[in-house]
Amino acid sequence: MILGIPVVLALFQFLHSTRCHRPNIVIIVADDLGWNDVGFHSGDVHTPNLDALAYHGVILNRHYSQPLCSPSRTSLLTGDYPFRHGMQGHPCLAGHQHGLKPGVKLMPEYFSRLGYRSHLVGKWHLGYESVHHLPTRRGFDSFFGFFNGFLGYWDGTHYSSGMAGRDFWRNETGAWKEAYGTYLTELLTKEATKVIEDHQGDGLLLVLGHAAVHGTDLPLSREAPPEVTNNTERGYLRAITQKLDWSVGEIVSSLGKKGVLDNSIIVFMSDNGGLPASPFRQNGASNWPLRGEKKSVHEGGVRTVALAWSPLFNKSSRVSEELFHISDWLPTLYAAAGGSPEDLPLKDGINQWPSLSSGERGARHTLVVDIDDLNNSEAIIEGRWKLIKNHAATSKLKMTDDFYGESGYWMPYDREGVENSTVTKRLGPLPSYYTELRNLATVKKVCSAAKNNYCNYCLFDIYNDPTECHDLSSTRPTVASALKDLLDSYRPYVTPAKVVSFDERAYPKFSEDYWAPWLSIP
């Protein structure tokens, strides 16, 4: 049968519409990347590929994650605040029964309704006490990576509480030999590009959870790639970050070689703030000039590096100052994929696709930064106001709320590197005003107040005081009281965080030296 031209045209339009409703989605999650550890925030680390992707896309300057990695991943994949699932307060630790409960639906399970194939490369960190907790039992069609919070960059080994165990997997089979001797960032990148190359058609959901730039229990000098030019903690951190930046360039290049860039969305974010001053492990990150670091509800712990790029955006090459929470990615990307966010049983995530793609006013005006019953720490944002219940004065986490890190403002910007980066070569010339975008994305106000200005409940005007210097709770008591009431309204929905000890049945010696599932029931 020969079809007439109108029928053929209609069929073509239908297929094109279907294609555009199933964009290929790549989510890249950096680990512990500091606010000031990217070039487009005026940091002293050269990140030419990230910068180029940011200038071609949308820099999300008020993107918030959780203070820690497992809570952030919970929020990303469930679209909920982690306290609804008891996942606040601390990360999933090796050999502890503290995983995200099986039966809680995750992002790939929702996307499968739309015909997507989903893959996780890299960090899982949502529990592995039983096989029912594993990513391949939670909607991911494949998994290549590690279960725990960090991994040796050269040996596929996780060190925890004086114990060492192998922790590298292909789906549910130990794959330590694939990891040993290959630099971890390169290994994960190679696998991610292979997933892109092997995928047929559209409808790809790839989550690349990098280990970089998380430190380990070993010195940074051991974990850095060979390209180190400065043998200091900060120098090692720069080298680890620059390898992460290289990975972003490889992902963009792979999508280009596959011929699917015109129907792709790339999201890049850090799971929480950087770790400049930890007594537990080396890192050398910088959140300057933001106050706080990883574990803190101050801006340096939760206001994270984030950007998005896609040719499907109607308005790109801009800096967005709209509130965006990590829980928003599930409904936002689901909408971009042609799904209806109203069909998702989410409680907290908001569809921000109109704001992201077209620059419309953001849909989020309130953001619960955290309610952490374990560490007696909480914070909420409403418009320009942020209320913090400051735990630090009486807590072992006191140090996390100070100011740390390099400013980076003194360093000449590597314009040539950005203009000749892999991403620029693939996406085309940068906008002529890209240095203005960098200027807009830089927090210039620096705290001049004394440090350690702790209080029970602190109120900050984070629009005019982004570094949280000046507590206004005494001069704006009505605002502080209203925000406290708003925070209290969420308290009935908090599932208490579990406090569990190490389960001796989880010793790697019982599982061929692997950190492996040790329970037979969920």
Side-chain angles (χ1 to χ4, degrees):
M1 180 177 67
I2 300 176
L3 299 177
I5 291 178
V7 176
V8 172
L9 181 60
L11 180 60
F12 173 80
Q13 291 172 336
F14 170 76
L15 292 173
H16 178 72
S17 173
T18 302
R19 171 179 166 79
C20 289
H21 282 164
R22 291 210 316 183
N24 300 293
I25 299 170
V26 179
I27 303 172
I28 305 172
V29 184
D31 203 336
D32 291 3
L33 182 65
W35 173 265
N36 209 41
D37 290 336
V38 292
F40 64 85
H41 281 166
S42 296
D44 64 339
V45 182
H46 292 312
T47 52
N49 289 301
L50 277 169
D51 293 10
L53 194 62
Y55 300 144
H56 277 287
V58 180
I59 299 172
L60 298 169
N61 232 31
R62 293 192 179 276
H63 180 278
Y64 286 83
S65 297
Q66 298 302 128
L68 285 165
C69 26
S70 294
S72 284
R73 283 164 173 76
T74 296
S75 204
L76 172 67
L77 295 180
T78 65
D80 293 333
Y81 293 134
F83 60 73
R84 293 189 185 270
H85 303 285
M87 292 296 290
Q88 71 281 7
H90 54 72
C92 296
L93 301 175
H96 290 65
Q97 295 183 44
H98 177 56
L100 180 62
K101 186 178 179 180
V104 177
K105 267 197 168 181
L106 304 185
M107 180 184 286
E109 296 175 273
Y110 292 119
F111 272 78
S112 67
R113 300 174 181 175
L114 305 178
Y116 274 74
R117 298 281 293 176
S118 301
H119 307 270
L120 174 61
V121 175
K123 180 171 174 174
W124 168 238
H125 209 199
L126 288 177
Y128 65 94
E129 52 259 47
S130 79
V131 295
H132 306 283
H133 288 78
L134 303 185
T136 44
R137 307 291 178 103
R138 315 294 293 268
F140 285 104
D141 295 293
S142 74
F143 170 62
F144 182 78
F146 53 102
F147 293 153
N148 285 294
F150 56 90
L151 197 67
Y153 284 74
W154 291 101
D155 60 10
T157 301
H158 176 74
Y159 298 84
S160 179
S161 303
M163 294 174 285
R166 299 169 178 174
D167 186 17
F168 207 84
W169 303 82
R170 183 173 289 281
N171 298 320
E172 298 179 13
T173 301
W176 175 76
K177 290 183 179 179
E178 292 192 59
Y180 187 83
T182 301
Y183 194 66
L184 185 55
T185 305
E186 295 180 356
L187 179 69
L188 298 179
T189 303
K190 181 179 179 182
E191 179 71 15
T193 58
K194 187 176 186 301
V195 168
I196 293 170
E197 293 163 4
D198 292 346
H199 184 78
Q200 299 299 314
D202 53 14
L204 167 67
L205 174 63
L206 169 61
V207 179
L208 172 55
H210 269 297
V213 297
H214 199 300
T216 70
D217 284 354
L218 300 175
L220 273 184
S221 57
R222 182 189 184 278
E223 307 294 21
E227 297 89 344
V228 175
T229 58
N230 183 340
N231 293 325
T232 64
E233 186 174 88
R234 185 68 176 161
Y236 296 131
L237 186 278
R238 288 194 189 103
I240 294 171
T241 306
Q242 287 163 354
K243 184 61 76 172
L244 171 68
D245 180 77
W246 164 84
S247 174
V248 172
E250 292 299 293
I251 295 298
V252 173
S253 181
S254 179
L255 291 167
K257 291 176 182 176
K258 182 73 172 179
V260 297
L261 266 176
D262 64 333
N263 191 39
S264 293
I265 301 171
I266 301 174
V267 174
F268 178 91
M269 75 187 84
S270 180
D271 61 349
N272 44 249
L275 191 65
S278 171
F280 309 111
R281 60 181 55 92
Q282 297 184 36
N283 189 270
S286 174
N287 299 312
W288 188 266
L290 301 181
R291 180 180 180 179
E293 61 173 16
K294 176 181 180 178
K295 301 181 183 179
S296 173
V297 290
H298 279 288
E299 295 289 274
V302 293
R303 183 175 171 182
T304 51
V305 174
L307 64 92
W309 171 88
S310 177
L312 304 179
F313 293 168
N314 297 320
K315 190 176 181 181
S316 296
S317 297
R318 60 188 177 87
V319 177
S320 171
E321 295 288 348
E322 301 295 333
L323 274 181
F324 201 112
H325 188 257
I326 190 170
S327 65
D328 297 339
W329 285 115
L330 174 49
T332 297
L333 295 174
Y334 194 77
S340 174
E342 291 75 21
D343 295 339
L344 304 176
L346 308 182
K347 304 175 183 68
D348 305 306
I350 297 173
N351 173 22
Q352 301 255 37
W353 181 247
S355 175
L356 183 65
S357 63
S358 301
E360 295 181 15
R361 183 73 180 271
R364 179 177 287 280
H365 307 291
T366 301
L367 188 153
V368 180
V369 176
D370 200 17
I371 299 180
D372 176 0
D373 55 318
L374 197 62
N375 294 301
N376 193 26
S377 170
E378 56 195 38
I380 191 167
I381 294 172
E382 176 88 286
R384 68 192 300 164
W385 301 107
K386 179 178 179 181
L387 184 75
I388 290 177
K389 182 178 182 181
N390 199 309
H391 62 284
T394 58
S395 168
K396 63 181 180 180
L397 301 181
K398 177 178 180 178
M399 62 175 296
T400 68
D401 285 353
D402 283 340
F403 295 83
Y404 301 101
E406 301 288 337
S407 73
Y409 297 164
W410 53 270
M411 190 169 186
Y413 191 44
D414 182 23
R415 296 180 57 160
E416 182 178 354
V418 178
E419 291 171 1
N420 292 287
S421 66
T422 299
V423 169
T424 300
K425 291 175 181 177
R426 181 60 66 175
L427 300 185
L430 299 172
S432 59
Y433 53 91
Y434 76 86
T435 55
E436 182 181 340
L437 293 175
R438 182 175 187 249
N439 186 54
L440 291 172
T442 299
V443 176
K444 300 180 181 63
K445 295 186 178 181
V446 178
C447 183
S448 58
K451 296 181 181 181
N452 305 327
N453 56 330
Y454 302 124
C455 53
N456 185 24
Y457 276 100
C458 303
L459 179 69
F460 300 103
D461 178 354
I462 54 169
Y463 282 11
N464 294 313
D465 180 23
T467 55
E468 298 168 300
C469 286
H470 308 290
D471 172 30
L472 304 178
S473 58
S474 61
T475 58
R476 296 274 189 160
T478 303
V479 175
S481 178
L483 282 179
K484 186 179 183 301
D485 289 345
L486 185 58
L487 196 52
D488 288 342
S489 71
Y490 285 88
R491 216 169 300 283
Y493 308 107
V494 174
T495 298
K498 292 174 63 176
V499 179
V500 295
S501 57
F502 180 80
D503 189 333
E504 294 187 355
R505 293 172 293 178
Y507 278 123
K509 64 182 180 181
F510 298 134
S511 302
E512 300 180 342
D513 292 328
Y514 277 90
W515 294 106
W518 68 93
L519 300 178
S520 59
I521 57 175

